Amino acid sequence: MRIIGLRVLLVLTVTLSFAVGSDANAQKSSRPTFRIMLVADGESQLFAERQRLLKTEIVELMKEDASVVFVEPKIETNWTLERVNTALKEGLTDRSVDMIIVSGSMTGVAVGRLPKLNKPILIPYAAPKLQGLPQDGDRSGRRNLAYITGLLNFEQEIKQLREIVRFDRMTLIVGVEVVRHLEAAEQPVQLASQRLGIETHLVIAGESAQATLDAIPEDTEAIYIGPFFKWSDDEMQILVDGINAQDLPSYAGGGVKWVERGALATMETEEDEIRRMRRAAIFVQRIYMGEPAGSFPISFEQRPVLVLNMATAKAIGTWPRFAVMAEARMINDQTGTRGPLITLQSAMHDAVRVNLDLMAQGLEIDASYEGIKVSRGDWLPQAGADGDFLINDPAVSTSFAQAQRQFTWGISGSQLLYSPQGHADLRFRRDTYWSTEHDYISARLDTMLESGEAYLNVLRAKNTERVNRDNLKLTRKNLSLAETRNTIGVAGREEVFRWQTQIAESRSSVIGASATRNQAEIDLNRILNRPLEAPFRVPPPEDVRAVTPGSDPRLTKYLEDPWSFKIFREFMAEEALLNSPEIRSIDRTISARDELLKGERRQLGIPDIAVIGGFTHIPYAGGVGGEAPPDVAGFPGRQTFTWNVGAQATLTLFDGTSNYARIRQTFRVLDRLHTDRAVIAQRLEQNVRSALHQAGFSYANIELTSDAAEASARNLELVTDLYQRGAADIIQLVDAQNQALGAALAAANALYDFLIDALRVQRAAGAFSLEGTQEDRDDFIQRIDAFAAAKKRQGQRSRPPTEPTRVNPREHN
């Protein structure tokens, strides 16, 4: 029975699944079909791409409502108005077609001339005044006609080109298929030119790019490359290259594609394209739901972004102004993409090899080492030679003394055996040299810190510039939104002026951030002894966390609670005293002064002892007394060769008490040096503890600022939506945007603040982790863990002072 029951259950389950599947398929197949005819001026890659995007949006939006089918007209339009009219009439009379979507200026003209529309027609790109389309406020006002403005905006685009480069005479090149059937096609160009105060020449491009280039007037100063729907890419490339060959700045109305292929500038509308297609898809859905097409809003808030080809700007010798570059997306901009890749680790390593300040200090130390050899020279044999030739008065010249003419020469020498002062001076210079060596180590650490901070300041400046550029883009979008609100009567002109003010302020912030970045790069180049404005590359900002040298996640536990953090501070303070080159330097200085003191005290009772000797030779004697003298009473006459050897001891018996004064002075100097050592140790410990507190704050601040930035961004999104719907005023939106900007800057800089603070902690501790090996880092972790364990065993008792507090002897009474 149990087996039979299971079989029945299995059969019921399978049957039910087929029933459910059949029902789902039935529901899917029962969806109504909505047929849309697509009519365009002619075959065009641009039209095909736009239709592809629009189809995708419509199908995705209406997948639950209907099965959308796209159909093409039976007749090819082939860029003629007559064929376009035939295709439209076919769609209007075909009962299987539910609505028509048209593409192209000529097709829009044909729609405007139709006497009656018996089914909905949608024009995603329309120029109502040029195409003769009806307009009633922010709607078409005509039954079954919906369109979205924004096909052509000559004035805005010409104005943008004039902001890039100043000119008074411009040539506008437009495809014949664009203007062939427009009503007074040259009128908007002439009106735009009059308002901008420039002279514009219109060139209607035919089938050949070369013929179009030949039609450009010689006095033209700028080119506007209008929309081209019929030309191939190769023909368009010939036109762009020919314009650049004449060193003429150009604006590409065809979009970013042609800026990438050589035009100077355009307005990027990729985001606008997506928004336009989504709005068109919504119109299709609303038409399917039965809403009247003539009531749909026609205005479209555009949010274009200026795009510049910096390689073209360099080639034609035209450089955009800083204010223009502040909010532009720059193609082929080699800023930050040329030169060697510099990382934090390489910057700190290279700085100690090539920094001129450190190099100069090293050469000074090398010179002081030679001073040791100077003092050591007094302990080596000393030798000297002298000679003279004299002519004496004949009346006093004798063979027993000086002859009338006599040449004498000789050599003398000495060897110092012992000298209290010389011995002390030699040791003083040796200890002083080692003191300067430790000063060099200190300067080396300072150089590494300086280079690390300079490198992180470059990243910080780049990040700040990026955030300010994003804020400028957002301000530009809000300006477009305000202009749309003003157009439909929701807001006044004061809102537009306010956002224009914000645009100027945001541009200023971007330019200031760019200048700060340039200064930071110059500072880093100086530290690395590179040409001051030499380009270099840095990793993307998001890579800093992963490539931070010396970072060890095992230390994180000592930053998360007060007790562990206190243990960490005490350990790092002890490490700093052990590693500090400043402490070692002053210890050597104290040792050097001790040697001087010993020398001064020994000099009171121990003489300088030396061995001396020499010889004298008279190779020539002439004139009176030049003859060999006779022996007289056993006394020899003048000897031609004599020598001597002996020992010498020198002891200062009394020097006016200056020796005792020097001894007392050295004692005072030693007292000062010992006090200086205490000061250095105290300040060193203070620096370590203060730096750790700052690093602890900046570490916690990374997450806090990130949360604040996220909340501010959500608030800005909410207020923007309320502002767009008229439920919030401009003051609220400006405040929300400024708050979001400040939070974004704080979040962007929080990581760099922590990294700089971490470097300062390591500098105060006397060692940078990036110079150590993994074994060194493991040993460090083991020592701090052992230190923490020992502190935990002995409890949290404060360490008692090891010595009484010193009192200033001048203030003792």
Side-chain angles (χ1 to χ4, degrees):
M1 291 296 295
R2 184 177 180 181
I3 296 176
I4 295 175
L6 289 174
R7 290 178 178 174
V8 172
L9 180 61
L10 178 60
V11 171
L12 289 175
T13 302
V14 173
T15 304
L16 181 61
S17 65
F18 276 111
V20 173
S22 300
D23 182 63
N25 292 331
Q27 290 180 5
K28 183 175 181 180
S29 61
S30 65
R31 285 188 307 163
T33 300
F34 192 69
R35 297 171 62 85
I36 302 174
M37 176 177 284
L38 302 176
V39 181
D41 290 356
E43 291 187 6
S44 166
Q45 184 178 353
L46 177 62
F47 290 162
E49 179 63 22
R50 287 177 176 177
Q51 289 177 355
R52 185 189 64 80
L53 291 174
L54 182 56
K55 288 178 182 178
T56 301
E57 293 292 338
I58 293 174
V59 170
E60 178 65 25
L61 183 64
M62 298 184 61
K63 61 184 179 182
E64 301 295 335
D65 302 324
S67 176
V68 180
V69 177
F70 298 96
V71 297
E72 301 289 339
K74 297 178 181 178
I75 185 173
E76 293 184 3
T77 53
N78 201 25
W79 303 100
T80 63
L81 185 60
E82 294 76 15
R83 287 178 172 271
V84 166
N85 283 323
T86 303
L88 288 174
K89 291 177 182 179
E90 175 190 335
L92 291 173
T93 57
D94 188 346
R95 294 184 178 182
S96 66
V97 174
D98 297 299
M99 74 172 293
I100 302 172
I101 299 178
V102 303
S103 300
S105 58
M106 184 167 51
T107 311
V109 170
V111 171
R113 295 177 180 177
L114 289 173
K116 182 180 180 181
L117 304 179
N118 58 6
K119 61 183 60 176
I121 294 181
L122 172 63
I123 309 176
Y125 290 86
K129 292 182 179 180
L130 292 175
Q131 294 173 312
L133 299 176
Q135 183 175 353
D136 181 14
D138 191 38
R139 59 178 187 157
S140 73
R142 183 178 182 183
R143 183 176 179 271
N144 283 332
L145 177 60
Y147 62 82
I148 304 173
T149 60
L151 174 62
L152 297 172
N153 193 340
F154 290 124
E155 182 173 352
Q156 178 185 358
E157 295 175 341
I158 294 172
K159 183 179 179 180
Q160 183 63 69
L161 179 60
R162 207 173 185 213
E163 285 188 5
I164 299 171
V165 56
R166 303 299 297 178
F167 59 87
D168 296 319
R169 293 178 297 278
M170 184 192 74
T171 295
L172 174 64
I173 305 175
V174 182
V176 64
E177 69 277 5
V178 177
V179 298
R180 177 182 295 169
H181 299 286
L182 295 180
E183 297 181 0
E186 71 283 354
Q187 182 178 357
V189 179
Q190 294 174 351
L191 293 176
S193 301
Q194 291 174 3
R195 282 191 287 265
L196 296 175
I198 62 175
E199 178 184 343
T200 303
H201 181 78
L202 180 62
V203 173
I204 307 299
E207 301 296 330
S208 168
Q210 188 58 51
T212 303
L213 289 170
D214 295 338
I216 298 175
E218 294 183 358
D219 60 349
T220 292
E221 298 173 337
I223 300 291
Y224 180 102
I225 308 174
F228 287 82
F229 299 137
K230 293 178 64 176
W231 277 13
S232 66
D233 287 354
D234 292 338
E235 202 70 23
M236 279 294 298
Q237 189 66 58
I238 294 174
L239 178 64
V240 172
D241 293 342
I243 293 172
N244 289 341
Q246 300 180 43
D247 293 337
L248 292 173
S250 58
Y251 183 96
V256 179
K257 173 182 178 180
W258 294 110
V259 174
E260 293 174 345
R261 300 184 69 166
L264 176 62
T266 191
M267 299 297 289
E268 183 176 35
T269 57
E270 181 178 354
E271 180 182 348
D272 287 345
E273 293 287 324
I274 296 174
R275 291 173 50 248
R276 182 184 293 271
M277 294 307 171
R278 288 176 180 173
R279 176 178 291 190
I282 292 174
F283 284 1
V284 172
Q285 185 184 46
R286 292 172 65 180
I287 288 172
Y288 171 76
M289 295 297 182
E291 294 187 41
S295 64
F296 297 164
I298 62 175
S299 62
F300 181 73
E301 170 203 347
Q302 299 190 64
R303 304 170 183 174
V305 177
L306 176 64
V307 181
L308 297 172
N309 189 325
M310 300 308 293
T312 300
K314 182 178 180 181
I316 67 176
T318 298
W319 292 105
R321 296 178 294 115
F322 285 114
V324 174
M325 295 171 63
E327 56 179 319
R329 181 170 74 88
M330 289 173 282
I331 296 174
N332 296 328
D333 178 23
Q334 296 183 342
T335 303
T337 62
R338 294 179 297 149
L341 177 66
I342 299 179
T343 64
L344 178 59
Q345 186 169 5
S346 67
M348 296 178 71
H349 278 159
D350 292 345
V352 298
R353 294 191 303 106
V354 299
N355 182 261
L356 290 180
D357 293 331
L358 187 63
M359 195 181 303
Q361 186 162 352
L363 294 174
E364 183 179 353
I365 293 174
D366 293 341
S368 69
Y369 179 74
E370 298 302 322
I372 299 177
K373 297 180 180 180
V374 172
S375 294
R376 187 181 299 153
D378 295 338
W379 292 85
L380 299 176
Q382 310 292 312
D386 63 271
D388 58 72
F389 178 79
L390 298 176
I391 300 176
N392 297 316
D393 185 355
V396 297
S397 300
T398 67
S399 58
F400 289 95
Q402 292 282 345
Q404 183 181 2
R405 295 182 300 276
Q406 182 174 310
F407 173 67
T408 307
W409 73 283
I411 294 178
S412 61
S414 64
Q415 171 63 59
L416 181 65
L417 299 180
Y418 181 74
S419 171
Q421 192 63 38
H423 188 268
D425 183 68
L426 179 60
R427 289 182 174 273
F428 171 79
R429 288 181 180 270
R430 182 199 61 190
D431 289 338
T432 301
Y433 164 75
W434 285 112
S435 176
T436 57
E437 282 285 1
H438 292 301
D439 289 339
Y440 176 82
I441 296 175
S442 177
R444 184 178 185 274
L445 293 173
D446 290 338
T447 301
M448 294 183 69
L449 174 63
E450 185 183 20
S451 62
E453 288 186 352
Y455 180 83
L456 292 172
N457 283 333
V458 169
L459 298 186
R460 184 208 302 271
K462 284 180 173 289
N463 221 14
T464 300
E465 184 179 9
R466 177 187 58 79
V467 172
N468 278 286
R469 286 186 183 277
D470 291 343
N471 182 67
L472 178 55
K473 293 178 183 178
L474 178 61
T475 306
R476 178 66 66 181
K477 292 180 181 179
N478 288 335
L479 173 60
S480 300
L481 181 59
E483 290 173 342
T484 301
R485 284 163 52 91
N486 175 252
T487 301
I488 63 178
V490 177
R493 291 292 296 170
E494 69 278 1
E495 288 197 10
V496 176
F497 296 145
R498 176 63 185 272
W499 285 115
Q500 289 175 346
T501 302
Q502 289 292 113
I503 287 285
E505 293 176 354
S506 298
R507 278 184 169 184
S508 176
S509 298
V510 171
I511 294 173
S514 178
T516 301
R517 172 183 55 79
N518 290 331
Q519 294 169 10
E521 291 173 346
I522 289 173
D523 186 42
L524 181 59
N525 277 330
R526 177 193 62 81
I527 295 171
L528 297 180
N529 192 21
R530 304 177 72 242
L532 293 182
E533 296 202 25
F536 59 85
R537 295 175 295 120
V538 297
E542 59 270 16
D543 289 349
V544 174
R545 291 179 184 268
V547 303
T548 301
S551 58
D552 197 321
R554 292 174 291 180
L555 287 176
T556 305
K557 62 182 179 182
Y558 291 104
L559 302 175
E560 295 178 343
D561 65 86
W563 186 86
S564 299
F565 192 40
K566 180 182 178 182
I567 294 299
F568 187 51
R569 295 196 305 272
E570 292 182 2
F571 175 78
M572 291 301 294
E574 291 188 6
E575 288 286 307
L577 294 177
L578 290 174
N579 298 330
S580 170
E582 292 85 1
I583 293 292
R584 296 176 182 176
S585 174
I586 198 168
D587 284 343
R588 281 291 188 172
T589 302
I590 291 173
S591 176
R593 288 293 173 177
D594 277 334
E595 294 297 336
L596 285 182
L597 178 61
K598 293 177 183 178
E600 292 289 351
R601 300 177 73 173
R602 289 171 179 168
Q603 196 174 11
L604 293 175
I606 301 177
D608 294 351
I609 301 174
V611 175
I612 60 174
F615 68 87
T616 302
H617 180 221
I618 305 175
Y620 169 76
V624 179
E627 66 279 2
D631 291 340
V632 179
F635 292 96
R638 183 177 59 247
Q639 300 296 311
T640 60
F641 183 85
T642 59
W643 59 272
N644 65 81
V645 64
Q648 183 183 48
T650 304
L651 177 64
T652 301
L653 298 178
F654 184 73
D655 61 355
T657 71
S658 61
N659 187 274
Y660 293 97
R662 288 194 297 271
I663 291 175
R664 290 193 297 271
Q665 182 186 36
T666 304
F667 272 120
R668 298 297 176 266
V669 171
L670 283 170
D671 289 341
R672 179 184 61 80
L673 290 173
H674 282 291
T675 304
D676 287 345
R677 188 188 189 282
V679 170
I680 291 174
Q682 186 181 64
R683 289 182 177 175
L684 188 64
E685 185 172 354
Q686 176 192 3
N687 290 341
V688 171
R689 293 178 181 272
S690 298
L692 280 169
H693 277 294
Q694 182 62 32
F697 158 73
S698 57
Y699 176 76
N701 199 43
I702 294 175
E703 184 175 356
L704 297 176
T705 54
S706 177
D707 292 343
E710 185 177 349
S712 298
R714 289 198 300 267
N715 178 63
L716 176 60
E717 183 180 355
L718 174 63
V719 175
T720 302
D721 181 65
L722 294 174
Y723 176 74
Q724 191 169 5
R725 292 189 286 110
D729 57 28
I730 187 173
I731 302 299
Q732 292 174 292
L733 182 56
V734 171
D735 289 343
Q737 182 175 339
N738 289 337
Q739 184 184 40
L741 173 62
L745 287 172
N749 293 331
L751 173 63
Y752 304 113
D753 291 338
F754 169 69
L755 293 175
I756 289 176
D757 291 336
L759 289 179
R760 289 174 179 173
V761 169
Q762 295 182 30
R763 168 60 188 95
F768 287 102
S769 58
L770 62 87
E771 290 196 295
T773 62
Q774 185 60 43
E775 291 74 13
D776 295 330
R777 286 189 279 273
D778 292 340
D779 179 67
F780 178 83
I781 296 298
Q782 292 174 3
R783 285 188 286 114
I784 189 174
D785 289 343
F787 182 86
K791 286 292 182 180
K792 187 175 183 180
R793 287 194 300 270
Q794 69 183 24
Q796 300 185 19
R797 297 187 301 273
S798 299
R799 182 175 57 186
T802 57
E803 59 181 19
T805 304
R806 297 180 60 182
V807 179
N808 186 348
R810 285 183 171 271
E811 306 295 334
H812 186 68
N813 295 325

